[in-house]
Amino acid sequence: MIEKVAIVGTGLIGGSIGLALRRAGFGGEIIGIDGSQIEASTALSVGAISRIGGFDDATSADVVVLAVPVMGILDWMQRMAQVAGPHQLITDVGSTKLAICEAAQTDYNGEGQARFLPGHPMAGKESGGAALAEASLFDGATWLFTPVAEETPLEGAWRGWVAKFGARTMDLDAARHDQICAWVSHLPQMVATAMAAMFEDEFAAEPELAADFRAIGGRALREMTRLGASPYSMWRDVAFTNTKPLAATLFALEQRLAHVRENLKTPELREEFSKANAFRKER
Amino acid sequence: MIEKVAIVGTGLIGGSIGLALRRAGFGGEIIGIDGSQIEASTALSVGAISRIGGFDDATSADVVVLAVPVMGILDWMQRMAQVAGPHQLITDVGSTKLAICEAAQTDYNGEGQARFLPGHPMAGKESGGAALAEASLFDGATWLFTPVAEETPLEGAWRGWVAKFGARTMDLDAARHDQICAWVSHLPQMVATAMAAMFEDEFAAEPELAADFRAIGGRALREMTRLGASPYSMWRDVAFTNTKPLAATLFALEQRLAHVRENLKTPELREEFSKANAFRKER
């Protein structure tokens, strides 16, 4: 049923989808489309795509996977809507879903229009690029869908491939997706970025601090700032399309940190540790 | 030169010191002293200590390692000062050093007094207990010392064992130690605790959220809240003895998060990511 897949954006996620398709036994064509010739060539050289293609390939593929940052997905959705046909399934891997679902409801899934299935694999690394792509990236990960229309056989076939990637699929409402992702993904990212940026400013103010940090900082520091390496290009679009939920979680954490700060010497601190211990036990 | 070591507090760090001594070829006695009979028995059963002892053993050991939380260390320092002799070295593994160094300067290192060498291995786990102790816990870790007096041969011998544990030793000023540890260790701990406690409160307000968190949360969430499992008993003492530096770092992060929140849609966010990227590149 699916013989030609076009992957728009052959970076870490797009490249890993190509590799996962191959590992799962997909025998058809995998076309890679990327604004960067270097990224596309890397994806080709690691075997994530069969060949490098262009816009025409996207309009002739059975499935088009939009694997670029959210604003890029919205642009591609608009371009594709003009030319894609009802036999085509367009899907995406964007980190926020409400803006994408709104666009999908206008331009897709209607009479004579291409199908659109919004998706979001909860997998990634702090650095991007096809060179880091892995066939096993989605093993054991949750692949979220926020469907906006009844499922078609072509969608069912795509969901089947996703399951063969080793991912668990889960459907949920787009607004709830964005709310929960603000808590579990976007807030942790912004905290790691803020903490790493703050340390960088401290280094600028006192250069020899950098050496002491390197010598003394252990796993806690590494772990809490690892996501600081994440690219702005992707997170700008998350911040732009999930502003309110993200701002609310940030504000809540600011208040929580102030509460901890004001209670460093009171029994309230015991309460915070006890709640945090309980959260970790449940996981 | 060192034939009898007493370890006060046979939990994760104390137990690991016993195991590391054995792995490094220490052939003398290792006495474990712990308020909890269960902890002491566990340490004995994993081979971290030769036998369970009491206060008398501490006064006759060549080296006494205080491996309890900071307030407990201060208590033991006071008790030991009355009875320990100049042939004995007392050292500790406390997470803050200024309060301990102040106590050491009063009651130790003088004529006829026992020696005290404040120490702090930058190693640990989010959960404590002798059952988790490992001979390799200090492999590649930095073991900080904040000496308050000239080095004696006995101190040199202890430093030699620490090096044989696989740790890199580093001397620094106690106030600077506490300042840097506030940044690289105490702040990350409090952020993880605050974040996990906040999520726990969200779960209480909306129980079905817990299931979605479990399904959707990935590495970012796990990593940013891992330290939420850390015990209050240890961190209460850190908060109590390093209040000002810790409060300052918390306040700085609160302001930084507010800055991020107010700039989710402005180019300032690019600047934050760029600084965070630079911090991670240096590490």
Side-chain angles (χ1 to χ4, degrees):
Chain A
M1 182 173 252
I2 303 177
E3 285 173 0
K4 183 174 176 179
V5 172
I7 298 174
V8 176
T10 59
L12 173 66
I13 301 294
S16 296
I17 289 173
L19 291 171
L21 274 168
R22 286 293 179 233
R23 190 188 66 166
F26 179 72
E29 251 198 317
I30 306 176
I31 319 296
I33 303 171
D34 202 294
S36 153
Q37 192 61 35
I38 295 170
E39 276 299 313
S41 300
T42 305
L44 187 63
S45 71
V46 301
I49 56 175
S50 337
R51 66 173 171 81
I52 299 171
F55 191 67
D56 285 353
D57 291 295
T59 59
S60 65
D62 301 310
V63 173
V64 180
V65 183
L66 304 179
V68 288
V70 175
M71 301 305 275
I73 291 170
L74 292 168
D75 289 344
W76 269 88
M77 285 178 77
Q78 210 170 14
R79 285 178 74 191
M80 291 292 298
Q82 325 286 326
V83 291
H87 57 285
Q88 289 191 284
L89 171 66
I90 323 292
T91 187
D92 78 300
V93 301
S95 307
T96 67
K97 296 265 72 81
L98 201 53
I100 287 169
C101 284
E102 281 167 4
Q105 257 150 346
T106 316
D107 294 332
Y108 290 86
N109 304 311
E111 191 70 24
Q113 294 178 323
R115 308 290 308 179
F116 195 95
L117 175 63
H120 180 202
M122 298 301 293
K125 297 183 180 180
E126 66 274 25
S127 303
L132 296 175
E134 286 178 33
S136 62
L137 190 68
F138 311 110
D139 264 344
T142 301
W143 194 303
L144 303 171
F145 289 111
T146 58
V148 288
E150 287 293 301
E151 187 177 315
T152 63
L154 188 55
E155 271 186 38
W158 177 249
R159 284 172 178 266
W161 282 112
V162 166
K164 283 182 203 153
F165 296 169
R168 289 183 310 269
T169 62
M170 174 177 167
D171 284 18
L172 80 169
D173 170 76
R176 180 151 180 98
H177 168 281
D178 285 8
Q179 176 63 62
I180 293 180
C181 285
W183 286 115
V184 306
S185 165
H186 310 167
L187 174 67
Q189 174 61 55
M190 293 304 165
V191 172
T193 297
M195 211 179 300
M198 185 173 78
F199 290 151
E200 187 62 17
D201 275 351
E202 292 291 322
F203 288 2
E206 193 194 340
E208 68 185 51
L209 200 59
D212 284 347
F213 257 62
R214 257 188 295 274
I216 299 175
R219 183 174 170 196
L221 179 69
R222 264 197 314 281
E223 196 170 59
M224 297 295 282
T225 60
R226 178 184 64 92
L227 294 169
S230 297
Y232 171 67
S233 56
M234 174 188 160
W235 288 96
R236 173 200 55 204
D237 292 4
V238 170
F240 212 86
T241 55
N242 201 24
T243 317
K244 271 196 178 174
L246 180 48
T249 61
L250 281 163
F251 187 62
L253 184 61
E254 287 160 48
Q255 292 182 302
R256 200 89 195 191
L257 291 175
H259 177 74
V260 167
R261 174 170 52 80
E262 287 159 3
N263 289 285
L264 289 175
K265 288 187 157 186
T266 85
E268 269 298 305
L269 191 63
R270 178 197 297 272
E271 191 56 26
E272 286 294 285
F273 272 79
S274 147
K275 283 176 182 171
N277 289 176
F279 176 77
R280 290 299 308 186
K281 272 211 188 100
E282 285 148 19
R283 293 192 56 78
Chain B
M1 181 172 251
I2 302 177
E3 285 174 1
K4 182 173 176 180
V5 173
I7 298 175
V8 176
T10 58
L12 173 67
I13 301 293
S16 296
I17 289 172
L19 292 170
L21 275 168
R22 286 292 179 234
R23 192 189 63 167
F26 178 73
E29 251 198 318
I30 305 176
I31 319 296
I33 304 170
D34 202 295
S36 153
Q37 193 60 33
I38 295 170
E39 276 300 312
S41 301
T42 305
L44 187 64
S45 71
V46 301
I49 56 175
S50 338
R51 64 171 172 84
I52 299 172
F55 191 67
D56 285 353
D57 291 295
T59 58
S60 64
D62 302 309
V63 173
V64 180
V65 183
L66 304 178
V68 287
V70 175
M71 302 305 275
I73 292 171
L74 292 168
D75 288 345
W76 270 88
M77 286 178 75
Q78 211 169 14
R79 286 178 73 190
M80 292 290 298
Q82 324 288 326
V83 289
H87 56 284
Q88 289 191 283
L89 171 66
I90 324 291
T91 187
D92 78 301
V93 300
S95 308
T96 67
K97 296 266 72 81
L98 202 52
I100 288 168
C101 284
E102 281 167 5
Q105 257 150 347
T106 316
D107 294 332
Y108 290 86
N109 304 311
E111 191 71 25
Q113 294 177 323
R115 309 288 308 178
F116 195 95
L117 175 63
H120 180 202
M122 299 301 293
K125 298 182 180 180
E126 66 273 27
S127 304
L132 295 175
E134 286 177 34
S136 62
L137 189 68
F138 312 109
D139 262 344
T142 301
W143 194 304
L144 303 171
F145 290 110
T146 58
V148 288
E150 287 294 298
E151 187 177 316
T152 64
L154 188 55
E155 269 186 40
W158 177 249
R159 284 170 178 266
W161 283 112
V162 166
K164 284 182 202 151
F165 296 169
R168 289 183 310 270
T169 63
M170 175 176 165
D171 284 19
L172 78 171
D173 169 76
R176 180 152 180 97
H177 168 281
D178 285 8
Q179 176 64 62
I180 293 181
C181 284
W183 286 115
V184 307
S185 165
H186 311 167
L187 175 67
Q189 174 62 55
M190 294 302 166
V191 172
T193 296
M195 212 179 299
M198 184 173 77
F199 289 151
E200 187 62 17
D201 276 350
E202 291 290 322
F203 287 1
E206 193 194 339
E208 67 185 52
L209 200 59
D212 284 346
F213 257 63
R214 257 189 293 277
I216 299 176
R219 184 175 170 195
L221 179 68
R222 263 197 314 282
E223 197 170 58
M224 297 296 282
T225 59
R226 178 183 65 89
L227 294 169
S230 296
Y232 171 67
S233 55
M234 174 187 161
W235 288 96
R236 173 200 54 202
D237 292 3
V238 170
F240 212 87
T241 55
N242 202 23
T243 316
K244 270 196 180 176
L246 180 49
T249 62
L250 279 164
F251 187 63
L253 184 61
E254 287 160 48
Q255 292 182 302
R256 201 87 195 191
L257 291 175
H259 178 73
V260 167
R261 174 170 52 80
E262 287 160 3
N263 289 285
L264 289 174
K265 287 187 155 185
T266 84
E268 269 298 306
L269 191 64
R270 179 196 297 272
E271 192 55 28
E272 286 295 285
F273 272 80
S274 148
K275 284 176 182 171
N277 289 175
F279 176 76
R280 290 297 309 185
K281 270 209 190 103
E282 285 149 20
R283 295 191 55 78

